[in-house]
Amino acid sequence: ALAKLEHKLMRLSLQQGQLAKNTNAKLHLDDLHIDTLALTDDNVQPLHIQSKLASLNEKLVHQINQLDALEKILNHTHIDEEQHVAGRPINKGWLSSYYGMRDDPFTQQPAMHKGIDFAGTEGDQVIATAAGVVTWSGERYGYGNLIEIDHGNGLVTRYGHNKELTASVGEVVTKGQQIALIGNTGRSTGAHVHYEIIKNGTQIDPLPYVYRQ
C-alpha cells in the first residue's frame, strides 16, 4: 500500500512539474517531496505504517487538488466551481467596512476605499475565495503583509494587513485553502483582512461576489 501511494504521488509530481514547465508557471513542489528511503519496507516499523499511510494520503489529496486547480486555470474553465470567486475570505469574523467613499480613519478626510474589510481575531485563518496562482506574497505599502491571487480571466483577489502569510508566490491554491493569518499590519487600525477584487486591472466592489452563489 505504501509503495502504491508513493508511486501515485511521484507520478502526480512529475505531471504537475511538466504542466508548469509547458506554461512557464512556477510551482512550489518542495513540500511534496517524498523520502523514498524512509518509505521502504525495511525502514518502516509496523507501528509507524498507519501514520505513514495517513501522511502520504494527505499529501496525495493535496497534490491532486493543486493539479486540478492548475489545469482548470490553464484551460480557462472559469465556469467551474473551483474558480468561481465567491464567499468570504474568512471563516470567522464580520463585515466592518464597505467599498466606496468613506472618511479615512487616519486623516478623517473623504477617501475611496477600494475593497471591503472583515474584522476578526488576530491569528485566525484567511482563506482563498477561489482557486488560482499566488502572484504576490509579501509586504506592500499600505497593505502590510499582502497576498494576491490570479484566478485567470482577468480576475485577481487581494488579502491585506495579514499577520503572517502561509502561501508563496507561484503556489497553486484551492478554494477555501488557508493563505494567511488575520493581522493588523500596514495602514490598519485593528485586526482585519482588507479584501479586494480586481477585474481587468481595476478594483471593483467585492460585495456581490461575497454573496454570490
Side-chain angles (χ1 to χ4, degrees), residues 157-193:
T157 54
R158 285 180 182 160
Y159 313 75
H161 307 305
N162 302 291
K163 177 181 180 180
E164 182 181 336
L165 307 176
T166 58
S168 304
V169 171
E171 183 177 346
V172 177
V173 295
T174 54
K175 188 180 182 71
Q177 179 179 329
Q178 177 185 306
I179 53 174
L181 301 179
I182 291 177
N184 186 28
T185 60
R187 204 167 180 270
S188 172
T189 58
H192 74 287
V193 56

Side-chain angles (χ1 to χ4, degrees), residues 12-200:
L12 279 173
S13 183
L14 290 172
Q15 184 180 359
Q16 192 174 40
Q18 188 60 44
L19 193 58
K21 180 180 178 182
N22 291 342
T23 57
N24 294 320
K26 295 179 180 179
L27 297 178
H28 289 268
L29 301 178
D30 293 344
D31 292 338
L32 303 175
H33 174 71
I34 301 299
D35 186 347
T36 55
L37 179 61
L39 293 175
T40 60
D41 291 339
D42 292 337
N43 291 299
V44 178
Q45 298 299 319
L47 293 177
H48 296 162
I49 290 178
Q50 187 172 356
S51 64
K52 288 287 186 180
L53 281 170
S55 177
L56 269 176
N57 188 62
E58 183 179 346
K59 290 180 180 180
L60 181 60
V61 170
H62 178 65
Q63 191 168 2
I64 288 171
N65 289 340
Q66 281 193 318
L67 184 57
D68 285 345
L70 180 60
E71 287 178 330
K72 290 165 187 172
I73 292 164
L74 297 178
N75 293 329
H76 302 288
T77 53
H78 305 291
I79 59 172
D80 190 274
E81 183 180 350
E82 266 290 294
Q83 288 183 261
H84 189 68
V85 177
R88 307 192 315 163
I90 55 171
N91 291 317
K92 297 183 293 182
W94 62 95
L95 181 59
S96 58
S97 185
Y98 290 86
Y99 174 92
M101 295 298 296
R102 67 171 188 176
D103 288 342
D104 186 285
F106 290 92
T107 66
Q108 306 306 317
Q109 298 298 313
M112 182 65 182
H113 187 228
K114 296 182 178 181
I116 56 179
D117 294 341
F118 287 92
T121 302
E122 188 167 323
D124 280 354
Q125 286 187 337
V126 177
I127 60 174
T129 53
V133 178
V134 177
T135 53
W136 183 280
S137 179
E139 190 174 355
R140 186 182 293 184
Y141 178 76
Y143 290 94
N145 294 323
L146 173 71
I147 287 279
E148 185 174 279
I149 303 172
D150 189 337
H151 306 284
N153 203 30
L155 276 181
V156 172
T157 54
R158 285 180 182 160
Y159 313 75
H161 307 305
N162 302 291
K163 177 181 180 180
E164 182 181 336
L165 307 176
T166 58
S168 304
V169 171
E171 183 177 346
V172 177
V173 295
T174 54
K175 188 180 182 71
Q177 179 179 329
Q178 177 185 306
I179 53 174
L181 301 179
I182 291 177
N184 186 28
T185 60
R187 204 167 180 270
S188 172
T189 58
H192 74 287
V193 56
H194 173 79
Y195 178 58
E196 291 183 8
I197 294 181
I198 297 93
K199 187 172 184 179
N200 298 322

